[in-house]
């Protein structure tokens, strides 16, 4: 438990054997780098709170997916070794000790630094005992009118079995005593649809955790009982889906059925507040089926993902200065009115870089103009994740209702967005769109939109290929790149790919694309090997990868071989990296860095110097097993010299960053970079914000 941090587990192998870094440890190190943003006192206060919320959410997902997967392997007795030679049991022990440190540090930053600073700036978080009498009276009225009617206390006794505790729910464990002196246990779920922090007026307006208000009024729920004690706890559960879509006649129905089953999946983590008594802890552990390593004792309030509620307050003085994305210079007229995007694309390709350039006036504009254009005959698009109020979906439904052929591949298995995507699929179907759910056994993760337009006696294809989702909300905070083009060769490739995705086409070879799962791994290895051969001839050779994660052993081995041949390699990897850089005789020519900033670095770029005939790919794929083997992914080669130069400029800026960048060392240690006394500070994201709108 975090109150008594676990002894740090050391399960490192001999360095000559540990060719790869542990995936799970690398993931936790990424979360630690995000936490350091929350610890940075130079950041605006609500930005620090936002990063605390992000870390909490990411840890939830880690336990719902990665830890859950290891526990499933452990429970069935699988002795499968990780790439660095650890069993599931060893990895779970290592994870528990590392997470204990991370969660203790995370809680301490909030309790000791961020919360007191928020109090000083007028955003006061008070526990019930700290409230003025008149504030308690006000909240008692709020309880009776807005909270009490939706609460359901659940007793535990021979006639009432221990209730199911839903995933990520916050709960009160309550002990009450009846008139005969018998002690009873009950559970009260904190309603997730109410604000987690309730505001209260008074001489010093403040926010109070919802669970405190419920706890202070438990007498109304347990009339005639004496309240002995109450404690909060929270459970995280396995969130993986197991849909056999090879045998599912109706994938939509099969997924809905599995989603209902997921509510009852096994618990992977139990969080309790400091001071939870041993008798309650023993009860919860027994009923939830968790062990000592799954329990974390923390200072309250639990579930700091709820801090996003404070970030949404109208306090611009406590946030980063607002940034307005620029319109791409080729997509606006001198009077700032929008252009006919199809006329522009007939003459040149357009590269858009979000959030520095507007998503609404580029990608969204492309789809909306296609929906409204009477010469457009068809729109074909993939949707992996989109926003709650989606202008993209609105445009597609309008196009279908106008009689255009609209085909939408909705990936209903997108993790944590399954329910939203099922709803979008039904909305699109009702509007007359042809909705498909992708290929059996594969997720469709590529970001593609193709518009077919009648122009005189010919049909012309216009396409968008991106690194990010068609989501206007995340386009404001995720860094992504998209290519808009009318290139005929690329249009033919995308047309063939859509036929593969929606029909029975077995087209697997493409001129301008690398497509997974059929050929991306083989061709990516071929590109690495070509650079290796160039280096062995004694010529300069260079590789730059920018991605979210690097895990695939075959790709890592290819980079190791290239390094040994003398290829200069830079990897810009935001999150998980299993490659061990800087090891003599193995990877001394490989450098790995990670950039954690205001925006989530999300674009994927793969550059090969190729003896002067440079090649550069962008797209949706990270170098992970799932991307290369179990997903439909696309990387597109950027042909325009001007656009390649612009992408290389972005990569160069990323490699020059000494403000938001970290460097990975050969012992798996991450070091924060800073400008030396004789060099100027360089911040990739700040420089791109300053340059926004200048690209041609």
């Amino acid at each position: 438990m975090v109150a008594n941090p676990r002894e740090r587990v050391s399960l490192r192998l001999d360095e000559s054997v540990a060719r790869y870094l542990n995936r799970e440890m690398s993931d936790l190190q990424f979360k630690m780098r995000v936490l350091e943003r929350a610890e940075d006192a130079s950041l605006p206060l609500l930005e620090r709170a936002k990063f605390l919320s992000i870390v909490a959410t990411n840890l939830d997902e880690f336990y719902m997916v990665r830890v859950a997967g290891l526990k499933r392997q452990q429970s069935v007795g699988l002795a499968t070794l990780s790439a660095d030679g650890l069993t599931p049991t060893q990895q779970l022990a290592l994870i528990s000790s590392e997470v204990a440190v991370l969660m203790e540090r995370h809680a301490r930053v909030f309790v000791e630094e961020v919360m007191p600073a928020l109090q000083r700036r007028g955003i006061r978080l008070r526990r019930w005992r700290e409230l003025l009498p008149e504030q308690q009276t006000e909240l008692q009225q709020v309880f009776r009118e807005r909270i009490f009617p939706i609460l359901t206390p659940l007793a535990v006794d021979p006639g009432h079995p221990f209730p199911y505790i839903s995933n990520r729910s916050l709960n009160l464990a309550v002990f009450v005593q009846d008139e005969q002196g018998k002690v009873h246990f009950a559970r009260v779920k904190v309603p997730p649809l109410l604000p987690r922090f309730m505001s209260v007026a008074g001489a010093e307006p403040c926010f109070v955790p919802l669970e405190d208000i419920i706890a202070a009024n438990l007498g109304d729920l347990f009339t005639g009982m004496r309240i002995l004690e109450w404690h909060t706890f929270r459970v995280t559960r396995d969130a993986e889906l197991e849909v056999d879509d090879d045998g599912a006649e109706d994938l939509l129905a099969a997924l809905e059925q599995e989603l209902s089953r997921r509510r009852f999946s096994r618990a992977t983590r139990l969080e309790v507040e400091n001071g939870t008594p041993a008798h309650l802890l023993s009860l919860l552990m027994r009923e939830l089926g968790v062990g000592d390593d799954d329990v974390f004792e923390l200072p309250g309030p639990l579930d700091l993902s709820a801090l996003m509620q404070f970030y949404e307050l109208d306090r611009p003085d406590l946030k980063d200065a607002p940034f307005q994305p620029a319109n791409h210079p080729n997509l606006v007229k001198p009077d700032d009115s929008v252009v006919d995007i199809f006329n522009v694309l007939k003459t040149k390709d357009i590269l858009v870089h979000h959030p520095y350039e507007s998503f609404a006036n580029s990608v969204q504009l492309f789809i909306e103009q296609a929906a409204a254009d009477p010469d457009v005959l068809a729109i074909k698009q993939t949707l992996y994740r989109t926003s709650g109020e989606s202008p993209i979906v609105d445009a597609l439904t309008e196009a279908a209702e106008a009689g255009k052929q609209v085909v939408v591949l909705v990936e209903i298995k997108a993790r944590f967005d399954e329910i939203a995507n099922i709803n979008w699929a039904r909305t699109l179907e009702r509007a007359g769109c042809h909705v498909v759910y992708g290929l059996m056994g594969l997720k469709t993760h590529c970001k593609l939109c193709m518009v077919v337009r009648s122009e005189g006696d010919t049909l012309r294809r216009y396409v968008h290929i991106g690194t990010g989702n068609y989501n206007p909300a995340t386009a404001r905070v995720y860094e992504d790149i998209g290519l808009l083009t009318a290139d005929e060769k690329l249009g033919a490739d995308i047309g063939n790919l859509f036929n593969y995705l929606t029909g029975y086409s077995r087209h697997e070879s493409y001129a301008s694309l690398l497509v997974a799962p059929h050929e991306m791994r083989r061709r990516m290895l071929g590109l690495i090997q070509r650079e290796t051969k160039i280096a062995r001839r004694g010529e300069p050779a260079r590789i730059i990868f920018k991605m979210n994660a690097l895990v695939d052993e075959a790709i890592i081995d290819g980079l190791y071989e290239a390094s040994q041949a003398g290829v200069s390699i830079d990897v810009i990897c935001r999150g998980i990296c299993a490659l061990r850089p800087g090891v003599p005789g193995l990877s001394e020519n490989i450098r790995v860095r990670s950039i954690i900033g205001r925006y989530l670095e999300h674009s994927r770029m793969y550059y090969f110097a190729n003896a002067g005939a440079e090649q550069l790919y962008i797209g949706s794929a990270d170098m992970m097993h799932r991307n290369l083997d179990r997903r439909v992914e696309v990387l597109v080669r950027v042909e325009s010299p001007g656009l390649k130069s612009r992408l290389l400029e972005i990569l160069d800026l990323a490699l020059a960053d000494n403000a938001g960048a970290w460097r990975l060392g050969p012992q798996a240690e991450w070091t924060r970079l800073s400008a030396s006394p004789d060099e100027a500070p360089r911040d990739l994201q700040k420089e791109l914000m300053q340059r926004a709108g200048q690209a041609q």
Side-chain angles (χ1 to χ4, degrees):
M1 302 173 197
V2 171
N4 299 294
R6 299 168 175 79
E7 182 180 350
R8 298 297 289 274
V9 176
S10 178
L11 293 173
R12 302 189 186 283
L13 301 179
D14 183 90
E15 296 301 330
S16 64
V17 178
R19 186 177 179 86
Y20 313 105
L21 301 179
N22 184 271
R23 182 203 193 286
E24 316 306 342
M25 291 301 100
S26 184
D27 196 347
L28 292 175
Q29 287 175 323
F30 164 59
K31 292 165 179 44
M32 194 68 82
R33 296 196 297 278
V34 178
L35 178 57
E36 289 224 2
R37 295 287 291 178
E39 294 172 330
D40 186 347
S42 69
L43 290 184
L45 190 53
L46 286 179
E47 301 296 336
R48 297 178 68 187
K50 176 188 72 176
F51 281 114
L52 285 172
S53 173
I54 290 170
V55 171
T57 300
N58 287 350
L59 269 175
D60 282 351
E61 294 180 0
F62 182 76
Y63 268 83
M64 291 159 64
V65 178
R66 300 303 307 176
V67 172
L70 289 169
K71 284 183 173 293
R72 286 199 302 273
Q73 292 179 35
Q74 185 187 51
S75 67
V76 298
L78 286 180
T80 305
L81 298 182
S82 62
D84 61 328
L86 303 183
T87 66
T89 298
Q90 288 175 318
Q91 290 189 83
L92 287 169
L94 189 56
I95 287 168
S96 180
S97 69
E98 293 297 318
V99 170
V101 174
L102 174 58
M103 292 182 69
E104 189 274 335
R105 183 169 157 185
H106 179 254
R108 188 176 67 245
V109 172
F110 177 66
V111 172
E112 297 180 3
E113 297 181 31
V114 173
M115 186 169 71
L118 287 171
Q119 314 270 37
R120 292 191 293 271
R121 299 303 299 271
I123 301 175
R124 305 175 185 88
L125 178 62
R126 297 277 193 261
R127 306 308 296 259
W128 182 267
R129 63 184 177 275
E130 300 171 328
L131 297 175
L132 299 172
E134 59 267 27
Q135 292 175 316
Q136 292 182 349
T137 300
E138 178 185 336
L139 287 176
Q140 285 169 341
Q141 184 67 23
V142 169
F143 175 82
R144 287 189 289 269
E145 295 176 356
R146 295 175 52 194
I147 303 173
F148 177 82
I150 59 178
L151 295 178
T152 304
L154 296 176
V156 178
D157 57 34
H160 300 86
F162 192 87
Y164 178 78
I165 310 298
S166 53
N167 185 31
R168 290 192 285 187
S169 64
L170 190 63
N171 305 270
L172 295 179
V174 185
F175 287 95
V176 298
Q177 188 178 52
D178 63 23
E179 293 177 349
Q180 288 73 42
K182 186 176 181 180
V183 176
H184 304 270
F185 174 79
R187 170 259 193 167
V188 180
K189 181 178 179 178
V190 177
L193 296 180
L194 293 178
R196 175 63 195 293
F197 301 109
M198 306 290 286
S199 62
V200 59
E204 286 192 345
C206 61
F207 293 88
V208 183
L210 179 57
E211 62 268 27
D212 278 20
I213 301 171
I214 297 171
N217 292 276
L218 286 172
D220 292 353
L221 286 173
F222 299 96
T223 307
M225 293 283 190
R226 178 187 171 201
I227 310 299
L228 297 178
E229 59 181 312
W230 61 268
H231 305 275
T232 57
F233 69 96
R234 184 171 182 268
V235 175
T236 313
R237 291 189 177 275
D238 185 340
E240 277 293 86
L241 293 170
E242 296 182 9
V243 180
D244 179 14
D245 56 351
D246 288 332
E249 293 183 10
D250 187 340
L251 181 58
L252 201 64
L255 184 66
E256 288 182 307
Q257 184 179 24
E258 184 60 27
L259 284 168
S260 68
R261 289 177 184 162
R262 187 166 75 178
R263 294 179 53 248
F264 302 98
S265 57
R266 68 178 293 170
T268 58
R269 180 178 57 162
L270 170 63
E271 297 167 87
V272 297
E273 277 202 70
N274 286 344
T276 299
H279 65 90
L280 172 59
L281 201 51
S282 177
L283 170 67
L284 293 175
M285 291 173 65
R286 182 180 68 250
E287 296 293 344
L288 294 169
V290 298
D292 289 337
D293 284 353
D294 306 318
V295 180
F296 297 88
E297 190 173 348
L298 301 159
L302 300 180
D303 186 17
L304 294 184
S305 66
L307 291 177
M308 198 58 76
Q309 180 182 339
F310 292 143
Y311 185 77
E312 292 166 357
L313 294 173
D314 184 20
R315 289 293 303 269
D317 56 314
L318 301 181
K319 300 179 186 179
D320 285 328
F323 173 72
Q324 184 64 35
N327 290 324
H328 192 288
N330 295 131
L331 296 179
V332 290
K333 296 177 181 177
D335 62 359
D336 286 337
S337 61
V338 297
V339 300
D340 182 325
I341 199 164
F342 300 111
N343 282 337
V344 173
L345 294 179
K346 287 175 188 175
T347 61
K348 66 190 310 181
D349 294 347
I350 299 292
L351 190 78
V352 287
H353 194 190
H354 316 302
Y356 310 106
E357 292 170 333
S358 169
F359 179 89
N361 287 334
S362 56
V363 180
Q364 184 177 319
L365 175 70
F366 173 66
I367 298 168
E368 289 176 340
Q369 286 194 357
D373 189 334
D375 292 327
V376 168
L377 306 179
I379 303 173
K380 300 184 180 185
Q381 179 155 1
T382 62
L383 282 181
Y384 191 76
R385 304 186 199 276
T386 189
S387 54
E389 298 292 329
S390 175
I392 302 295
V393 173
D394 290 344
L396 294 172
T397 57
E398 290 169 10
E401 290 165 352
K404 302 182 192 316
Q405 178 175 302
V406 179
V407 179
V408 187
L409 193 151
V410 179
E411 183 45 80
I412 56 174
K413 300 188 295 295
R415 186 179 288 151
F416 306 125
D417 279 330
E418 299 96 345
I419 294 174
N421 284 5
I422 287 172
N423 292 334
W424 285 130
R426 292 201 164 118
T427 297
L428 291 162
E429 283 177 331
R430 285 194 295 268
C433 299
H434 301 291
V435 178
V436 294
Y437 307 120
L439 302 170
M440 290 190 298
L442 299 173
K443 282 186 181 180
T444 303
H445 187 247
C446 51
K447 325 297 181 184
L448 306 173
C449 181
M450 182 176 75
V451 172
V452 182
R453 193 168 186 265
S454 175
E455 298 179 0
D457 296 330
T458 64
L459 295 180
R460 186 189 292 264
R461 298 183 183 97
Y462 297 85
V463 301
H464 170 264
I465 302 177
T467 67
N469 297 307
Y470 292 100
N471 187 330
T474 57
R476 292 191 287 272
V477 292
Y478 283 28
E479 178 270 341
D480 275 303
I481 289 168
L483 175 68
L484 290 157
T485 180
D487 180 83
E488 292 183 12
K489 182 172 62 175
L490 183 53
D493 270 355
I494 299 298
N496 285 327
L497 181 56
F498 269 110
N499 290 339
Y500 165 71
L501 292 172
T502 62
Y504 288 113
S505 170
R506 291 296 176 261
H507 193 96
E508 296 181 359
S509 181
Y510 302 88
S512 301
L513 305 176
L514 307 185
V515 179
H518 301 297
E519 60 172 6
M520 184 178 290
R521 181 197 299 280
R522 176 183 61 81
R523 291 185 61 185
M524 180 62 71
L525 287 171
L527 293 167
I528 296 171
Q529 289 161 3
R530 184 183 63 189
E531 213 67 25
T532 303
K533 292 176 182 177
I534 291 170
R536 284 178 177 152
R537 296 199 302 260
E539 300 176 35
R542 184 89 164 96
I543 292 174
I544 308 173
F545 283 2
K546 181 180 183 295
M547 61 185 80
N548 298 320
L550 173 58
V551 174
D552 188 83
E553 290 86 8
I555 298 296
I556 292 173
D557 285 346
L559 293 173
Y560 284 160
E561 184 180 357
S563 170
Q564 293 162 31
V567 181
S568 177
I569 302 170
D570 279 288
V571 175
I572 306 160
C573 185
R574 185 194 81 227
I576 305 165
C577 181
L579 181 148
R580 186 186 292 275
V583 177
L586 178 70
S587 57
E588 64 264 40
N589 290 314
I590 304 178
R591 297 157 297 278
V592 177
R593 60 169 47 209
S594 172
I595 295 174
I596 309 292
R598 173 174 177 172
Y599 302 118
L600 184 88
E601 292 292 321
H602 193 249
S603 67
R604 293 89 165 180
M605 292 186 257
Y606 301 92
Y607 167 81
F608 304 89
N610 192 26
E614 298 172 319
Q615 289 189 355
L616 203 157
Y617 293 81
I618 65 169
S620 59
D622 291 308
M623 294 297 106
M624 304 179 73
H625 308 111
R626 70 184 188 191
N627 299 89
L628 298 173
D629 300 328
R630 302 190 298 276
R631 289 183 171 186
V632 179
E633 301 275 15
V634 170
L635 297 175
V636 59
R637 188 168 69 240
V638 177
E639 302 284 7
S640 163
L643 299 189
K644 279 195 289 189
S645 294
R646 186 181 174 200
L647 291 171
L648 270 172
E649 184 180 20
I650 295 169
L651 292 174
D652 287 341
L653 285 173
L655 294 174
D657 190 307
N658 55 22
W662 296 71
R663 179 183 293 121
L664 176 61
Q667 302 300 320
E669 76 285 4
W670 285 93
T671 305
R672 180 78 180 266
L673 299 181
S674 59
S676 64
D678 59 343
E679 66 179 355
R682 302 290 302 274
D683 186 309
L684 165 72
Q685 295 189 356
K686 286 183 179 179
E687 292 193 33
L688 288 173
M689 290 167 68
Q690 293 166 358
R691 300 182 185 198
Q694 299 175 8
Q696 296 296 319

